[in-house]
Amino acid sequence: MSIQALLPEIEPHLARPFEIEPLDGGFTNQTYKITGLNRTLVLKQVGRQQNILGLDPQQEVLALQRASMAGIGPRVIHHSQQGNFLLMEFLQGSLIEAADLNRPEILRAIVGQVQAVHQMQGIARACSPYHLVERYLQGASELGIKIPHQMAGFLRRMEGIEKRRSRDHTFTRVYCHNDLYRFNIMQTPQGIRLLDWELSGVGDAFFDLATLSFSNRFSREQDENLIFLYFGCCTPDLMQALQDMKFMNMLREIGWALLHAGLEPEQVNHQMDYLSWAHTVVQRLQEGHLDL
């Protein structure tokens, strides 16, 4: 849907005249900065991914509202009943850079916000790492994308991880962000805020921690520090759970890329060779890497 078609729903929340400019960052949805006379907002147009994954957009709105009240995410100004767009406050600040993660106070603040996410209650939306991988691969297959033959072995390993993690009745049943890449973490004057809650749902806390680790190529020492910041201790079992979820993040990355390789060009945000990227991650996983 074009921006012009959404103007009747946007105009009650902004004083004319206003300027519209695209925002960089997200790979799945189109986002825009809309500046009016009275304030600046962010418009997020939801792509096909959410429908393919079977995630209720109204539950995303509820999660964002809870996150905003807890000082974790941006405030929702307006949302469509059809779930095809969100209008949110524009946060002043800057996205986290790789170097920021080496600053103890920044990493501590991020982990604190992740802990706050995991304490959110009352949102009936499940989204486990296994669900994400399965739905991404199913969606890609339905769009005519050939699934790499190596995935059969990877999925058998996933079954073992799911069985092992099912014994943890505490940290596999918490609300998770599920997309903690740096471009979804912002440093604002009010502190760290987490963006893009589209994949959020009840899942495995270690998946959020592992996303930080695998997408930033944390060393073992950094992994141990990450675990210590979250749990107050670091044990072999905790480290094993983190490694398992780093593997799951690699599978999610492959599935995500394969799905987006099958979507029409106008349904993805960036000019990227998704299929090539999927095979790159497959190769890294075959070589024993658990990071991008």
Side-chain angles (χ1 to χ4, degrees), residues 23-26 29 31 42 44 60 63-64 67-68 71-75 86 88-96 113 117 176-188 191-200 208:
L23 288 173
D24 292 328
N29 304 295
T31 55
V42 171
K44 170 188 167 183
E60 178 191 359
L64 268 167
S68 174
I72 310 170
R75 184 163 60 96
L86 283 169
M88 297 168 286
E89 68 173 324
F90 177 80
L91 296 177
Q92 298 290 342
S94 58
L95 297 179
I96 291 294
Q113 292 293 60
V117 175
C176 299
H177 183 277
N178 284 330
D179 206 12
L180 279 177
Y181 291 83
R182 285 200 318 273
F183 50 75
N184 286 331
I185 306 174
M186 176 173 275
Q187 189 172 6
T188 77
I192 296 295
R193 296 294 182 267
L194 306 181
L195 313 177
D196 195 352
W197 290 68
E198 181 173 344
L199 301 182
S200 66
D208 277 343

Side-chain angles (χ1 to χ4, degrees), residues 52-116:
I52 291 171
L53 295 177
L55 297 174
D56 182 356
Q58 300 305 326
Q59 292 295 312
E60 178 191 359
V61 172
L62 177 58
L64 268 167
Q65 290 169 337
R66 298 281 176 84
S68 174
M69 288 188 291
I72 310 170
R75 184 163 60 96
V76 176
I77 304 300
H78 177 70
H79 63 94
S80 70
Q81 293 303 314
Q82 296 77 22
N84 59 345
F85 80 89
L86 283 169
L87 203 57
M88 297 168 286
E89 68 173 324
F90 177 80
L91 296 177
Q92 298 290 342
S94 58
L95 297 179
I96 291 294
E97 301 286 346
D100 294 326
L101 297 174
N102 294 320
R103 297 170 56 189
E105 71 278 12
I106 297 295
L107 186 59
R108 190 178 303 113
I110 293 171
V111 171
Q113 292 293 60
V114 173
Q115 289 172 319

